[in-house]
Amino acid sequence: MAVVNRIADFAPQMAEWRQHLHTIPELGRACHKTAAFVAERLREFGVDEIHEGFAETGIVAIINGQGAGPTIGLRADMDGLPITEATGLPYASTHAGRMHACGHDGHTTMLLGAAKYLCETRNFAGRVALIFQPDEEATGGAEAMVQEGIMDTFDIGEVYGIHNVPGFDEGTFHARSGPLLAAADTFHIHLTGRGGHGAQPQDTVDPVVCAASITQALQTIVSRNIEAGQQLVISVTQIHTGTVDNVIPETAYLNGTVRTFTPEMRDLAERRMNEIVAGQAASFGLSAKVDYVRGYPPTVNHARGVELAARAARDVSGDAAVDVDSPANMGAEDFAYMLEARPGAYFFMGIGEGAGLHHPEYNFNDAAAPVGASFFARLVETAQPVKGA
């Protein structure tokens, strides 16, 4: 792998940054310690501007290149997850019940590494906007930062992000033009019947039987309402009802997620869910309410952005390590909001074998950080070359 030499020089320092960040995972928008650490490093590097407080703790930092040109945005997410760490590492989380189980400590480190290099070399035209974003895992810090005007305020013309993937070969890159990740919606179904004694079900209106029937019937949306080649996932992930073995409860609650790639499929899933729940509830003689909450939209890559980023990735890892025809993934990512606001691309980067994302034994591979930092750096130099260079 052709990791940038200068970035390879300070790779041990990057490992120190990452392992420190791993000890202080923070949730949602309350990434105060993380943001303070990031801002301190950026000042040491000599970035030209630091703007803080977006989505509470988000940062946008500007590095000026050589001469006039556009502004390219590079984004890293900073937040952790409410998971108790089980790695046993000497730099394990010091925040009880929280850990960096998705590698955002690695993403932040990769962007810091690119920032240090770009501040030293400035071998690009225009500007770079470094976007350090909180709250990817919860309520959408990317959407908040876009709504707070970062794209217009900093005249960002295009934007790029990256996510690590355990189990993919270290230093490989994976993406596709068009939809890469799905929209993620949530549903809450509330059933109300009439409770009673378990020995006299004829005197009750049983929500348990209805809940079971709805769970099965919702799967017919996938199997009977869409073509086989289309992609839709509906998962009932919670059913809560009852308190004791001899009492038929009065209420039941179902919760789950819907994953889609197109607005049309999203609309169909919501419409059919409401129809099925209403029909099932009526057939069992009870009442029902559906709360369907639309979450992150699909993450849709732009063709030019994929082409530019792939060129940078090939410079770093070689042609064989870059796949721009990867299958779409039913996971979701709030970087989608940034790609709705500006063209660009989102890439996955392999970090080798290890526990999967959101697993209590997950740990980012520090050897992969210089690869990601080199990718960001080469992307800037590829997208915005200095005239005459």
Side-chain angles (χ1 to χ4, degrees), residues 11 26 41 47 110 117 129 133 137 210 237 240 273 279 292 328 349 389:
E26 297 171 289
R41 299 290 79 72
V47 300
M110 291 189 292
Y117 169 83
Q133 177 214 309
E137 299 286 2
C210 184
T237 56
H240 298 289
M273 180 172 292
Y292 191 100
M349 185 187 78

Side-chain angles (χ1 to χ4, degrees), residues 172-343:
T172 56
F173 289 88
H174 310 265
R176 65 181 292 113
S177 296
L180 177 69
L181 291 161
D185 299 337
T186 303
F187 60 86
H188 307 267
I189 301 171
H190 304 269
L191 305 177
T192 302
R194 183 172 65 248
H197 201 292
Q200 285 88 42
Q202 71 278 6
D203 296 328
T204 71
V205 179
D206 189 348
V208 178
V209 180
C210 184
S213 184
I214 287 173
T215 300
Q216 292 181 305
L218 289 178
Q219 297 310 313
T220 66
I221 301 174
V222 176
S223 66
R224 292 297 178 267
N225 294 139
I226 69 170
E227 295 179 7
Q230 294 179 308
Q231 292 173 294
L232 169 66
V233 170
I234 299 177
S235 296
V236 177
T237 56
Q238 295 187 76
I239 301 176
H240 298 289
T241 186
T243 56
V244 69
D245 62 272
N246 63 350
V247 174
I248 292 173
E250 182 174 339
T251 62
Y253 166 76
L254 298 87
N255 166 243
T257 185
V258 176
R259 306 296 175 119
T260 57
F261 285 108
T262 67
E264 295 77 17
M265 192 63 62
R266 210 175 193 183
D267 291 342
L268 181 146
E270 181 176 3
R271 175 177 59 81
R272 286 296 294 135
M273 180 172 292
N274 278 284
E275 291 170 351
I276 286 171
V277 171
Q280 291 282 323
S283 72
F284 284 94
L286 45 72
S287 63
K289 177 186 177 184
V290 179
D291 294 322
Y292 191 100
V293 182
R294 296 206 174 195
Y296 297 169
T299 301
V300 181
N301 278 338
H302 300 252
R304 178 181 177 277
V306 171
E307 180 183 353
L308 277 172
R311 284 170 56 192
R314 292 186 183 106
D315 283 348
V316 175
S317 293
D319 291 349
V322 181
D323 175 13
V324 292
D325 194 25
S326 297
N329 187 301
M330 299 307 290
E333 163 63 57
D334 76 341
F335 189 70
Y337 293 109
M338 294 192 180
L339 287 177
E340 284 188 334
R342 291 294 187 273

